[in-house]
């Protein structure tokens, strides 16, 4: 069904009836940016109850304006260097991959991350979509990665498991990741952007599904939520941008890593609703320059991830991730020496994560 | 988005603008039935250009009335016995599983099969849905089983492969099966029917997707199309109904078999659009009696199919199916002696199929 190709106005969004905000004190919104955050005005009714973590990319002397009334912490490159010291090397610069610093510094159980060129989408009836609320619903209901349900999310009101769905699998598994979509400007690579400059996504698919175990997907970081406790340490957005041979693969890298780890640990990854309204296409020529190595590297990286096997001893996300870094070093450095550096950065990331996120008992001085 | 919970009237369907019917001489519609086929009146504008194969179940002395103007062949039990001789034992009696005789006797490349309690569904705008046309579109466009595309069918108008989708996989693979869905009465098992007697499916999900490689799904035979040349010999609906300990698992059985064979041969299976309007729920008490063995057997059958591995030498559907029958005999007969009988029937089915479907060169007397 076709949704209108315009975003909701602030007034339309304000008029949506709202209940108490879900998980108010358990979720941070992470926004990477280089500009003033006027876009938050459009999200005010949905985001204002939550704490924001703003990761300022680029020149740290620039001041980022945040609309009044939002509760936030802002970290620029100087802050990141101060907090992480030499380990700051694992956080990308001049690339939205820097957002993963926000995942690390958060103390909450859940993260929602959104780009600053994303606005409130409407469904085909014109109703503004509360993307965050839908992500939370996705995260709080189980996933079904082991068998496909032809009516999609079986836990949704009005749906269920269909005939032939094994009863032993109907409890589902915990959901670690909720991947949302985009109306208007679709998330295309540079070649597709160049070939289809005017294509817009107006199709509103009213559906959430679990991506089956063993299946990889292209995870986009534009509109993404996850459970830090379940998968946080694997949500590393890699080395991109300044000084690196590649860009625009930060979320893809994280997507491949989280998927194989979720599959190994028996956790769920959902995709589908909610939509945001993606307002403007990035420059396809600039994108092509950032992407072109990724476009051929991925032809070898994806078979690598499809074949990854994690040993039984990997019982935590950290252990899985360290093991994955070893396999990256061993198997992908023949693709390019970059992967050697990336494998090291994966280890640094885990060290930094563990430093900032000590087990609660220890952090409290208890044992 | 919600679709109206009423089917389209004959007049509404007649008013839908139609192009030339697709694959008119290459597709048969297979309908298993025990009653007069008045339901065809509602489908007339969509089905009339095609040849129907009606498989009459139950008492062969009963006359099935078919509305005027349809081109059809009707086979009752006597016909099946006459055509197949002793091999008729593989065709179920007093169960809609008998429909697979129609797949075998057809000489066309494509099959669409539909139940006689299925009517024309409407989308949320009220437009009658030409289910057959959508199935044909699904079958004629490729599938993408090796990597998930987050905007679903990448070949659909207005959609494409998203950023991060490997270019080497964008050609896709041939589509062997198109599994359609149902508005109004959902395809629930007896326990779910009993617990949710009034639940109706009004949600119209405007989407088709490829079920990823390695993922099983519950295939429903109510609204199903496939390519006989690619997968026909695996579309066996098993031994159900009269004289058998189980019913209502005919399509499930076929679904598990075709999926592992499609995965092995590199063929695609799609699910989603088109919807039909399913008019009435079958009796849950009767269903429970038919299903209850299946409900616990499937807990062992599904892990069996998830673990099935077919050797490289299995390069045709027939070879795959014979190999599968051996594995069924070996691994599932510990579940119940029924599977021994079923494994034999799978072999008989292939023998009967090959008898009726000799390679074209041979059938023409050429070599």
């Amino acid at each position: 069904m076709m949704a209108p190709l315009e975003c909701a106005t602030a007034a339309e969004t304000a008029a949506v009836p709202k209940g108490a905000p879900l998980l108010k004190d358990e979720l941070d919104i992470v926004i990477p940016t280089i500009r003033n955050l006027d876009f938050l005005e459009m999200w005010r009714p949905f985001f204002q109850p939550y704490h924001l973590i703003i990761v300022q990319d680029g020149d740290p002397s620039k001041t980022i304006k945040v609309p009044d009334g939002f509760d936030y912490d802002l970290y620029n490159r100087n802050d990141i260097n101060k907090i992480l010291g030499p380990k700051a090397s694992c956080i990308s610069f001049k690339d939205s991959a820097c957002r993963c610093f926000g995942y690390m510094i958060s103390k909450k159980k859940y993260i929602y991350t959104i780009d600053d060129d994303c606005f409130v989408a409407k469904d085909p009836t014109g109703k503004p979509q509360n993307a965050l609320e839908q992500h939370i619903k996705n995260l709080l209901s189980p996933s079904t990665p082991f068998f496909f349900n032809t009516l999609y999310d079986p836990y949704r009101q009005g749906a269920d498991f269909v005939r032939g769905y094994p009863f032993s699998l109907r409890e589902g598994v915990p959901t670690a990741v909720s991947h949302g979509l985009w109306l208007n400007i679709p998330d295309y690579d540079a070649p597709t952007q160049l070939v289809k400059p005017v294509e817009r996504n107006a199709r509103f698919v009213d559906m959430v599904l679990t991506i089956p175990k063993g299946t990889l997907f292209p995870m986009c970081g534009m509109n993404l939520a996850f459970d830090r406790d379940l998968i946080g340490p694997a949500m590393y957005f890699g080395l991109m941008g300044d000084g690196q041979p590649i860009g625009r693969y930060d979320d893809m890298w994280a997507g491949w890593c989280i998927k194989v780890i979720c599959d190994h640990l028996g956790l769920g990854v959902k995709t589908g609703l909610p939509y945001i309204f993606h307002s403007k296409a990035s420059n396809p020529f600039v994108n092509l320059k950032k992407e072109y190595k990724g476009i051929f590297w991925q032809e070898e990286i994806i078979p690598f991830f499809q074949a990854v096997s994690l040993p039984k001893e990997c019982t935590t996300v950290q252990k899985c991730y360290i093991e994955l870094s070893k396999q990256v070093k061993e198997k992908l450095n023949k693709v390019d020496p970059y992967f050697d550096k990336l494998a090291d950065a994966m280890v640094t990331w885990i060290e930094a994560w563990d430093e900032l996120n000590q087990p609660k008992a220890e952090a409290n001085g208890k044992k």
Side-chain angles (χ1 to χ4, degrees), chain A:
Chain A
M1 298 293 101
M2 292 298 149
L5 274 188
E6 53 187 24
C7 57
T9 64
E12 284 170 333
T13 299
V16 174
K18 274 163 283 288
L22 298 169
L23 301 179
K24 195 177 87 60
D25 301 314
E26 296 176 71
L27 182 143
D28 284 335
I29 300 176
V30 172
I31 304 164
T33 194
I34 51 168
R35 57 175 83 92
N36 295 333
L37 293 179
D38 305 325
F39 91 111
L40 284 172
E41 275 307 342
M42 310 303 283
W43 289 101
R44 187 180 287 279
F46 299 148
F47 288 178
Q48 198 165 341
Y50 297 89
H51 180 70
L52 313 181
I53 296 178
I54 299 163
V55 185
Q56 177 178 352
D57 196 19
D59 181 4
S61 69
K62 200 184 152 188
T63 303
I64 300 284
K65 275 192 224 147
V66 181
D68 284 346
F70 284 94
D71 169 46
Y72 69 93
D73 288 315
L74 184 148
Y75 301 90
N76 65 27
R77 190 69 206 182
N78 295 337
D79 301 316
I80 295 173
N81 289 340
K82 206 178 302 167
I83 292 167
L84 295 183
K87 296 196 179 77
S89 62
C90 72
I91 303 297
S92 299
F93 186 50
K94 295 194 180 166
D95 193 283
S96 74
C98 68
R99 75 173 86 209
C100 65
F101 176 76
Y103 311 159
M104 183 187 266
I105 199 80
S106 166
K107 292 286 163 278
K108 307 286 175 58
K109 183 168 163 55
Y110 300 97
I111 295 287
Y112 175 48
T113 185
I114 181 171
D115 281 1
D116 62 8
D117 61 349
C118 293
F119 295 88
V120 178
K122 297 178 186 184
D123 73 11
T125 70
K127 192 184 165 207
Q129 301 294 292
N130 187 342
L132 179 51
E133 183 181 61
Q134 179 67 47
H135 275 298
I136 292 171
K137 287 179 181 168
N138 293 349
L139 289 171
L140 294 184
S141 76
S143 289
T144 53
F146 306 120
F147 199 77
F148 189 86
N149 191 49
T150 51
L151 290 183
Y152 315 111
D153 179 3
Y155 306 106
R156 179 171 171 160
Q157 189 74 30
D160 212 311
F161 292 96
V162 301
R163 180 171 58 91
Y165 204 100
F167 280 82
S168 62
L169 297 178
R170 294 190 185 196
E171 210 178 310
V173 300
T175 302
V177 178
S178 168
H179 177 257
L181 300 175
W182 345 276
L183 290 176
N184 196 41
I185 306 289
D187 188 31
Y188 287 162
D189 48 63
T192 308
Q193 280 185 296
L194 288 165
V195 171
K196 291 180 152 183
V198 298
E199 189 154 288
R200 296 294 175 263
N201 185 24
R203 195 153 57 93
F204 186 96
V205 178
D206 184 19
M207 192 262 297
V208 179
L209 61 76
T210 299
I211 301 176
K213 183 177 177 181
T215 301
L216 294 176
F217 77 115
M219 187 178 82
C220 170
M222 216 188 294
N223 171 28
L224 179 72
F226 60 93
D227 182 324
R228 278 179 87 246
D229 290 354
L230 293 178
I231 199 65
M235 252 324 159
Y236 175 43
F237 272 40
L239 292 177
M240 302 282 148
D242 197 49
Q244 308 300 340
I246 183 175
R248 280 170 61 83
Y249 272 85
D250 52 341
D251 42 7
M252 297 300 142
W253 180 260
W256 302 323
C257 293
I258 63 98
K259 189 57 171 56
V260 297
I261 293 175
C262 284
D263 284 352
H264 174 74
L265 295 175
L267 301 170
V269 177
K270 292 181 184 176
T271 187
L273 298 180
Y275 287 91
I276 51 78
F277 184 92
H278 185 205
S279 65
K280 54 175 192 285
S282 44
N283 184 315
F285 299 97
V286 173
N287 290 346
L288 188 59
K289 197 176 158 189
K290 292 179 180 172
E291 276 175 13
Y292 79 97
K293 293 201 175 189
I295 284 173
F296 57 96
W297 287 352
Q298 74 187 356
E299 299 292 344
E300 300 191 56
I301 301 172
I302 286 167
F304 162 77
F305 277 98
Q306 284 173 333
V308 156
S309 163
L310 297 170
K312 266 202 304 259
E313 299 73 49
C314 293
T315 51
T316 66
V317 180
Q318 274 91 337
K319 283 179 188 166
C320 291
Y321 204 70
I322 293 292
E323 169 63 27
L324 200 52
S325 77
K326 287 179 193 156
Q327 298 188 21
V328 167
K329 194 172 261 264
E330 188 192 323
K331 305 246 176 77
L332 289 181
N333 92 344
K334 71 172 189 323
V335 176
D336 194 276
Y338 165 75
F339 291 95
D340 217 51
K341 206 166 50 164
L342 178 56
D344 292 338
M346 292 168 75
V347 175
T348 305
W349 159 266
I350 292 293
E351 288 168 356
W353 182 282
D354 284 345
E355 222 170 84
L356 291 181
N357 294 276
Q358 288 172 32
K360 274 162 199 155
E362 277 177 63
N364 294 343
K366 296 178 200 151
K367 192 63 203 243

